[in-house]
Amino acid sequence: MKIDFIPFQIGMQYENWEFDLEPINLSFKISYDQFIYFKKDIKELFGIEIQDIHLYFNLDILFKVEIIFKSKNQVQDFIYLATELEKKYSRQVLVSKNDKLTKTWKDPKKHLIIEHNFKNNQLKLMVLDKKYIEV
């Protein structure tokens, strides 16, 4: 699955963005570092305004990208985003579990996930290396 709508590709080196990142979570107890991409050059995705972009690195290798949207109508935007991604990648089953709606596209190396969390009313899109599903 080629993800061409964001410049961040799973497996790329930290040095590609090191001057555009601010640490959020640096811990020696866990095996990854989390950064916020503070450069404001990516303002929207599929016409939905972006609030934050978080990049996760393990040993300076990008393994997860998390895009949090600033949306007035999260459920409507979730449906719109799911429709746009299904045009690109294929139809997927909608899963409702633990106060979350999700759709997941999988390939042998990575997953593309959209999620609406009802508890915190947050819409996000994630791309991650399938080895790090739980992070």
Side-chain angles (χ1 to χ4, degrees):
M1 165 178 32
K2 182 177 181 190
I3 299 181
D4 57 0
F5 51 86
I6 56 174
F8 315 104
Q9 298 301 314
I10 300 302
M12 293 184 80
Q13 295 282 331
Y14 167 80
E15 66 188 34
N16 288 298
W17 302 288
E18 67 182 303
F19 299 112
D20 301 325
L21 302 174
E22 183 176 302
I24 296 175
N25 182 11
L26 300 175
S27 173
F28 297 107
K29 295 179 183 176
I30 52 179
S31 63
Y32 68 90
D33 298 322
Q34 180 184 7
F35 296 87
I36 189 165
Y37 181 74
F38 64 81
K39 194 172 176 185
K40 298 295 182 188
D41 58 333
I42 305 170
K43 296 180 188 326
E44 63 180 39
L45 193 58
F46 296 103
I48 304 171
E49 189 177 355
I50 293 173
Q51 178 178 319
D52 288 316
I53 298 174
H54 296 172
L55 302 178
Y56 296 74
F57 293 87
N58 180 353
L59 300 173
D60 289 346
I61 303 296
L62 182 66
F63 73 89
K64 180 177 178 181
V65 177
E66 185 176 71
I67 299 170
I68 301 166
F69 293 96
K70 188 188 307 182
S71 171
K72 293 182 175 99
N73 189 334
Q74 304 287 351
V75 175
Q76 183 178 342
D77 285 341
F78 175 90
I79 293 167
Y80 169 74
L81 191 54
T83 303
E84 291 300 308
L85 292 172
E86 286 180 338
K87 287 178 190 175
K88 290 179 77 65
Y89 301 113
S90 72
R91 296 185 66 91
Q92 293 301 317
V93 175
L94 177 66
V95 177
S96 178
K97 184 177 173 182
N98 299 330
D99 294 325
K100 294 179 184 177
L101 286 177
T102 61
K103 281 200 177 215
T104 304
W105 290 263
K106 300 176 182 178
D107 81 358
K109 294 185 178 183
K110 62 185 167 254
H111 291 188
L112 172 63
I113 303 166
I114 56 169
E115 174 183 283
H116 176 265
N117 185 321
F118 287 102
K119 282 187 177 178
N120 61 13
N121 198 29
Q122 188 176 69
L123 175 63
K124 62 181 166 181
L125 180 140
M126 296 168 283
V127 180
L128 61 143
D129 186 314
K130 78 175 210 172
K131 293 182 288 190
Y132 298 92
I133 267 310
E134 297 303 317
V135 176

